[in-house]
Each structure stands twice: as structure tokens, then as C-alpha cells.
């Protein structure tokens, strides 16, 4: 049923002409009637026109558009227009959502570009750090190999020639010098052993002399006892006693001569041994002096070379240590750079929650409204957008699938809901 | 008794008797020495000093006499001791094995 206001609105174009027609009888009499009568008449003209329109004019026919289906009646079209009265607002909201989604997608694109740039920078830094680590590791290896291959070693046995000796060569030179020293010490040991043997022979000679001296002491005692007994023999004045005593004294004298000769022979032997020992000692002392001088001549430059080698090893170890510290710093940078994954995750989280969630909520709301509007337009269709495949978005919520279709698209009957679709998730296809 | 003649000389110092040996004390003076020792034992002094400072020569018989005199004094209870023993006396006594028995080596 059309309302008076709708009726007035539909005939609004005719109202001025109608009011002119109604005012004509009063225009010619404006000069003969009082002015206030003319004023009231003019005021009542629009009222009369409105009452004529409302009460006299018929209801306006329904307008049809070129796009309207000719098979539909005006009533159906009017009903559809009434049902689609909120379509404009819905489309406006679709437009707003599209703009907002575009802005959000632009923000997302910037975030993704940032992630890509950050990932590229991180990968580049990791690559450079790995290259640095490889180069420094190779430097360390070269430092270590320089100790084993070629090094400045002044002095030493071979080092006396100020040659460049590697560490193994230096060790071999030291070993050769130690072997030489050991051989000389062994020679001294053998010479000392010979001296010990000579000393042992001298000790045997002195032991024999000691025995001989004991025998001579015994002879002296016998002679003394003879002397103590001579007075008694004299008192006895027997000739046989004197003869016996003379024989014994002669025997004692002979024994003393024999002992003296043996002692002299032993002393000669000791003298020879001592002379030989003296000669051997002189030779050994001379050899020891020569060996000591040679050893000093070899050890001193070798010691200097050892100090230089130690300094060189210390320097190289310092360099290796410095390179190790730099490698550690590179590895730390690599570890820091590898944290870009966290940054990417943070950026994606920043995208997921505010952008996509908002878009999904808005799409779901609009989809619900669109479905409701579609059902209101065509009540025979239940859930017309359920399985529309042509819609740009399809939002599934608690198993109910809706589609936000374009206005040009015709809704299709909804397919029956599948049991497996009741997942309760919001999915973006 | 004259020491130059090979005889010992006895003197008394209170209750101590002193027996001085001559320079040559050998078998010829042994008999007189033993007689002197017998006279000392009759007097019974408290102590007897055997002074050998002048002794130069001695023989086996004289040393045997000193051993006998030393044992007799000890048995009689007379304190006897040697003074100024020369090397010839000590050496002879040790050579014959009489140094301990004669009191020369305490």
C-alpha cells in the first residue's frame, strides 16, 4: 500500500503546474478583493494541490527498468526492490572493505618486502661471515704449517749456518747434538772406567804392600824379642845360643830383604799405574776440554735458536689465537644473523592478527548479510550461496559455508552440507 | 844403690815409697831389684811409685822382674803405679806381651 508521502513524492513533478492552475481564479481577482483574501487563497493553494494529489490522483504505476525481467510482474519487481533496499548500503560496505583490504594487503606487501630484504641481508651476512671464517681458518692452518715447513732459525748445529729450519728439522738438529753429547759422555764413561780399573790395580798393590808391611812388623817384633833376649843369652854364655841367634838374625835379614824387594816391586807397579792414570787423566781432561768447547760452541747458538724458535712459536700462536677470536666473532655474527627467522615470525604474526583476522571478520559479516539479503530477495532459495564456486570469497564458519558473490552472479542452490565440513575453523581460500 | 850401675834406688816420702830405675835395667840388675821390692813389702807403705824417667835400656828378664814385683805389691795391698815410662820400656813390654801384666798399660 502506497503512503500519502510516497504518493506526493511520486507526483512531485506535477505539483507546481497544479498549484498554478488552482491559483488562476484568484489571480484575476487580486485587484478587486482585499489583499488578505488573496493571501489566504494563495496559502491554501498548495494545501489544495496536495489534497488533490492524495485524494484524487491515482497511485503511480511501478516503473520498470531495462534490466528488469519482463517475465516478472510489477509486484514482484516492487517486492524485490523492497527486499533489496539495503543492497546499496551493503555494496558500500563491500567497497569500504575492499579499500581497507587493499590498504592492509599493501601493508602486508611492505611487510613481506621487509622480510625478503631482511632475509637477503641476513643470508648475505651469513655468507660473508662463513667466507671470513673459512679464510681465517685457512690462515690459522697456514700459520701452523709455517712452523712445520719453513721458519727462521739462526744458530744451532746446522743452525750455525744461519739457515732457515723448520720445526721438525730443528728438532732433528737438537736430537743430533744430544746424540753427539751422549757419545762423548759415553767415551768419558769408558775412560773413567779404565781409570777405575787402574785404581783397582793400585789398590791391590797397596793391599799387598800392607801385607808386606805386616810381615816386616812381625820381623821387627822378632828382632826386638831377640834383642830383649840377648842379655839372657849373654848371661848364659853358650856358643850354640849365639850360633842359633846369628842364624835366626841372618834369616830375619834375608826375609827383610825379600820383603823390601817385594815392597819395591809393588811400589814400582803403583808408580807405573799412577803414571798411566796420570796420562789417562791428562788425555781425558784434554778431551773433556775439547768436548766442552765444542759443546759450548754448539749449544750456545742452539740455545739462541731455541729462544728464537720459542718466540716464533709464541708469535704464531698469538696470531692463531687472534684468528680464533675473529672466527668466534664471525660465528657470533652468524648466530645473530640467523635470528632473522624470529624477526620474520614476528612480522608474519603482525600480519596475521591485525590484517587477515580483520579481513576475515569483515568478510564473514558481509557474507552473512549478503546471504540474508539473498534469502530475503528469493525466499525459495535456502542458503543459496552455500557451494557457489564462482564467488571471490568463501567463508566457512562452523560448517556453514557462505559466498560473497558479485551482483551480476546468480545465486545457485545450496549443496547439502558435508559431514566433514563441520570443523568450526575459519579458512581463507 | 847407684843407678848408673844398673841398680834401683829406693826412697821414702811419708807413707809413699818411690823406686827409681837406673838407665840400664837388665838381667844383671834384676836380682837387686827383687831384693828392694822385698824390703818395700816389709815396710808396707801405703803406696809405691815406680819412677822410670831415667830408664834407657831394658831386657826381657828385667821386664819379667817388674811383672813379679807388680803382682806381689797388688797381693800385699800396696797401691803401686808407674811414672815417667819411656818408650823403650813401653815398647819392650808390649813386644813381649807383658805391658798389661806389669801395669805399664793400665
Amino acid at each position: 500500500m502506497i503512503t500519502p508521502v510516497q504518493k506526493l513524492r511520486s507526483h512531485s513533478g506535477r505539483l507546481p503546474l497544479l498549484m498554478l492552475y488552482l491559483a488562476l481564479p484568484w489571480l484575476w481577482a487580486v485587484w478587486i478583493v482585499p489583499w488578505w483574501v488573496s493571501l489566504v487563497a494563495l496559502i491554501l493553494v498548495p494545501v489544495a494541490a496536495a489534497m488533490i494529489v492524495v485524494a484524487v490522483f491515482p497511485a503511480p504505476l511501478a516503473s520498470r527498468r531495462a534490466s528488469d525481467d519482463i517475465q516478472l510482474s510489477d509486484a514482484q519487481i516492487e517486492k524485490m526492490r523492497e527486499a533489496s533496499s539495503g543492497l546499496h548500503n551493503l555494496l558500500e560496505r563491500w567497497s569500504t572493505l575492499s579499500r581497507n583490504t587493499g590498504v592492509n594487503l599493501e601493508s602486508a606487501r611492505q611487510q613481506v618486502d621487509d622480510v625478503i630484504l631482511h632475509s637477503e641481508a641476513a643470508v648475505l651476512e651469513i655468507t660473508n661471515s662463513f667466507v671470513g671464517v673459512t679464510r681465517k681458518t685457512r690462515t690459522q692452518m697456514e700459520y701452523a704449517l709455517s712452523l712445520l715447513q719453513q721458519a727462521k732459525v739462526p744458530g744451532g748445529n746446522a743452525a750455525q749456518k744461519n739457515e732457515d729450519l723448520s720445526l721438525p728439522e730443528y728438532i732433528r738438529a737438537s736430537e743430533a747434538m744430544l746424540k753427539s753429547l751422549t757419545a762423548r759422555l759415553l767415551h768419558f764413561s769408558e775412560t773413567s772406567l779404565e781409570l777405575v780399573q787402574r785404581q783397582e790395580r793400585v789398590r791391590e798393590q797397596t793391599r799387598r804392600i800392607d801385607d808386606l808391611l805386616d810381615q816386616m812388623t812381625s820381623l821387627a817384633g822378632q828382632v826386638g824379642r831377640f834383642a830383649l833376649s840377648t842379655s839372657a843369652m849373654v848371661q848364659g854364655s853358650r856358643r850354640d845360643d849365639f850360633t842359633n841367634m846369628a842364624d835366626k838374625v841372618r834369616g830375619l835379614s834375608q826375609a827383610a830383604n825379600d820383603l823390601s824387594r817385594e815392597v819395591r816391586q809393588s811400589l814400582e807397579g803403583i808408580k807405573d799405574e799412577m803414571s798411566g792414570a796420570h796420562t789417562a787423566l791428562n788425555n781425558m781432561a784434554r778431551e773433556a776440554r775439547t768436548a766442552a768447547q765444542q759443546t759450548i760452541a754448539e749449544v750456545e747458538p742452539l740455545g739462541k735458536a731455541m729462544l728464537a724458535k720459542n718466540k716464533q712459536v709464541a708469535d704464531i700462536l698469538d696470531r692463531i689465537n687472534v684468528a680464533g677470536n675473529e672466527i668466534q666473532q664471525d660465528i657470533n655474527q652468524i648466530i645473530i644473523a640467523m635470528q632473522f627467522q624470529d624477526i620474520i615470525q614476528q612480522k608474519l604474526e603482525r600480519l596475521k592478527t591485525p590484517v587477515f583476522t580483520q579481513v576475515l571478520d569483515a568478510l564473514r559479516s558481509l557474507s552473512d548479510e549478503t546471504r540474508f539479503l539473498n534469502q530475503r530477495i528469493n525466499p525459495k532459495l535456502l542458503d543459496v550461496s552455500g557451494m557457489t564456486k564462482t564467488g571471490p570469497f568463501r567463508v566457512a564458519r562452523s560448517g556453514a559455508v557462505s559466498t560473497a558473490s558479485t551482483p551480476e552472479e546468480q545465486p545457485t542452490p545450496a549443496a547439502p552440507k558435508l559431514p566433514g565440513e563441520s570443523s568450526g575453523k575459519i579458512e581463507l581460500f | 844403690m847407684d843407678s848408673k850401675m844398673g841398680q834401683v834406688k829406693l826412697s821414702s816420702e811419708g807413707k809413699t815409697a818411690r823406686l827409681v830405675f837406673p838407665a840400664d835395667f837388665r838381667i844383671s840388675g834384676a836380682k837387686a831389684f827383687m831384693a828392694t821390692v822385698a824390703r818395700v813389702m816389709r815396710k808396707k807403705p801405703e803406696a809405691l811409685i815406680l819412677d822410670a824417667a831415667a830408664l834407657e835400656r831394658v831386657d826381657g828378664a828385667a821386664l819379667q822382674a817388674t811383672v813379679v814385683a807388680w803382682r806381689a805389691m797388688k797381693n800385699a795391698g800396696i797401691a803401686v803405679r808407674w811414672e815417667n815410662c819411656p818408650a823403650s820400656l813401653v815398647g819392650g813390654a808390649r813386644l813381649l806381651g807383658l805391658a798389661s801384666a806389669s801395669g805399664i798399660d793400665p
Side-chain angles (χ1 to χ4, degrees):
Chain A
M1 185 63 185
I2 190 167
T3 61
V5 177
Q6 291 175 342
K7 209 170 184 177
L8 283 174
R9 189 177 298 168
S10 63
H11 293 284
S12 58
R14 299 174 185 172
L15 278 177
L17 188 60
L18 182 60
M19 286 190 293
L20 179 63
Y21 291 159
L22 288 175
L24 282 177
W26 298 97
L27 286 176
W28 69 271
V30 71
W31 307 107
I32 57 177
V33 297
W35 61 273
W36 54 274
V37 175
S38 298
L39 181 60
V40 171
L42 290 176
I43 292 172
L44 290 175
V45 165
V47 176
M51 292 179 65
I52 289 170
V53 168
V54 173
V56 179
F57 279 15
L61 297 175
S63 61
R64 299 181 72 90
R65 298 175 185 172
S67 59
D68 291 342
D69 192 351
I70 57 174
Q71 294 179 354
L72 297 175
S73 63
D74 291 341
Q76 288 178 330
I77 291 175
E78 184 66 22
K79 191 173 183 180
M80 288 179 66
R81 285 179 178 170
E82 290 178 357
S84 61
S85 60
L87 184 59
H88 179 74
N89 186 22
L90 181 62
L91 292 177
E92 184 66 26
R93 291 176 61 191
W94 270 107
S95 176
T96 304
L97 174 64
S98 176
R99 284 196 302 274
N100 293 334
T101 304
V103 172
N104 289 332
L105 289 178
E106 179 65 22
S107 174
R109 189 185 63 79
Q110 290 178 357
Q111 296 284 342
V112 170
D113 289 341
D114 291 343
V115 166
I116 291 173
L117 289 175
H118 198 82
S119 300
E120 287 178 353
V123 169
L124 190 62
E125 187 170 355
I126 289 171
T127 303
N128 291 332
S129 297
F130 270 118
V131 169
V133 167
T134 305
R135 188 173 62 250
K136 286 161 187 170
T137 304
R138 183 176 179 180
T139 303
Q140 278 187 325
M141 189 175 65
E142 289 175 352
Y143 284 152
L145 285 177
S146 67
L147 282 177
L148 299 176
Q149 290 176 348
Q150 190 81 12
K152 294 282 186 182
V153 182
N157 190 3
Q160 288 179 350
K161 302 172 184 176
N162 289 331
E163 293 178 350
D164 291 346
L165 289 182
S166 66
L167 192 58
E169 290 172 344
Y170 176 80
I171 292 172
R172 281 195 290 273
S174 300
E175 186 179 359
M177 194 204 70
L178 289 175
K179 283 182 178 178
S180 174
L181 281 176
T182 305
R184 287 167 189 165
L185 288 175
L186 285 174
H187 179 68
F188 291 151
S189 175
E190 292 173 356
T191 307
S192 299
L193 188 60
E194 184 181 352
L195 285 175
V196 169
Q197 291 173 353
R198 287 179 180 275
Q199 187 181 13
E200 184 64 25
R201 288 195 292 271
V202 170
R203 197 159 64 90
E204 286 295 329
Q205 295 285 356
T206 55
R207 189 181 300 117
R208 187 179 178 190
I209 290 175
D210 194 38
D211 294 339
L212 293 174
L213 289 177
D214 288 340
Q215 293 180 21
M216 292 183 73
T217 302
S218 176
L219 284 176
Q222 292 181 29
V223 171
R225 280 190 289 274
F226 272 122
L228 289 174
S229 301
T230 49
S231 58
M233 292 176 183
V234 171
Q235 286 295 114
S237 65
R238 290 175 51 184
R239 184 177 182 83
D240 293 339
D241 293 337
F242 281 104
T243 304
N244 292 332
M245 186 183 67
D247 292 340
K248 287 185 178 179
V249 170
R250 191 178 302 110
L252 290 173
S253 175
Q254 185 62 39
N257 283 332
D258 294 341
L259 290 175
S260 298
R261 188 170 55 253
E262 290 182 7
V263 168
R264 188 176 294 108
Q265 289 174 354
S266 296
L267 288 175
E268 288 293 333
I270 290 173
K271 181 181 175 183
D272 293 339
E273 291 294 340
M274 293 302 292
S275 177
H278 178 71
T279 304
L281 279 174
N282 278 335
N283 293 333
M284 193 169 69
R286 190 165 51 252
E287 290 178 1
R289 188 183 305 110
T290 304
Q293 290 173 350
Q294 291 178 356
T295 301
I296 289 172
E298 291 177 0
V299 167
E300 187 176 2
L302 195 62
K304 292 179 180 176
M306 182 180 291
L307 292 176
K309 178 61 70 182
N310 287 337
K311 186 176 182 304
Q312 185 182 14
V313 170
D315 291 340
I316 290 177
L317 288 179
D318 286 341
R319 293 177 189 172
I320 290 175
N321 191 23
V322 170
N325 291 333
E326 292 177 352
I327 288 173
Q328 183 65 40
Q329 291 177 357
D330 289 341
I331 290 174
N332 291 336
Q333 288 182 355
I334 289 172
I335 293 172
I336 294 172
M338 289 182 74
Q339 293 175 352
F340 74 93
Q341 184 181 0
D342 296 336
I343 298 173
I344 289 173
Q345 186 176 0
Q346 293 174 5
K347 285 185 175 293
L348 291 179
E349 287 292 334
R350 206 177 302 161
L351 277 178
K352 178 182 173 184
T353 302
V355 177
F356 294 127
T357 304
Q358 289 178 2
V359 169
L360 286 175
D361 290 340
L363 285 175
R364 184 173 60 247
S365 174
L366 288 176
S367 176
D368 290 341
E369 291 183 13
T370 304
R371 183 180 57 178
F372 175 75
L373 183 62
N374 194 16
Q375 287 177 353
R376 196 172 63 179
I377 291 173
N378 192 357
K380 295 178 181 178
L381 298 177
L382 295 176
D383 198 8
V384 294
S385 58
M387 294 301 289
T388 301
K389 297 179 180 178
T390 56
F393 299 107
R394 187 177 65 183
V395 179
R397 184 183 184 188
S398 300
V401 180
S402 300
T403 301
S405 60
T406 58
E408 293 76 13
E409 293 169 352
Q410 295 295 328
T412 56
K417 184 178 71 175
L418 299 176
E421 294 178 350
S422 178
S423 61
K425 294 181 178 178
I426 298 175
E427 300 174 356
L428 177 63
F429 293 91
Chain B
M1 213 177 340
D2 191 0
S3 62
K4 293 183 180 180
M5 296 301 290
Q7 293 180 351
V8 293
K9 181 179 178 182
L10 180 62
S11 62
S12 180
E13 302 171 356
K15 293 183 177 180
T16 299
R18 175 177 293 270
L19 196 61
V20 179
F21 286 86
D24 188 1
F25 177 53
R26 288 190 283 191
I27 191 171
S28 57
K31 187 177 180 180
F33 172 74
M34 292 306 297
T36 306
V37 168
R39 195 168 65 223
V40 170
M41 290 181 68
R42 282 196 298 272
K43 291 183 177 177
K44 291 186 180 299
E46 290 183 358
L48 173 64
I49 297 173
L50 300 175
D51 188 359
L55 186 62
E56 295 177 358
R57 289 182 296 275
V58 68
D59 65 357
L63 286 172
Q64 290 173 6
T66 58
V67 170
V68 172
W70 181 270
R71 287 187 174 179
M73 295 297 175
K74 286 292 183 183
N75 290 333
I78 298 172
V80 59
R81 68 174 187 275
W82 286 92
E83 282 187 1
N84 303 321
C85 290
S88 58
L89 175 63
V90 177
R94 289 176 179 172
L95 182 62
L96 295 177
L98 301 176
S100 179
S102 61
I104 294 174
D105 279 344

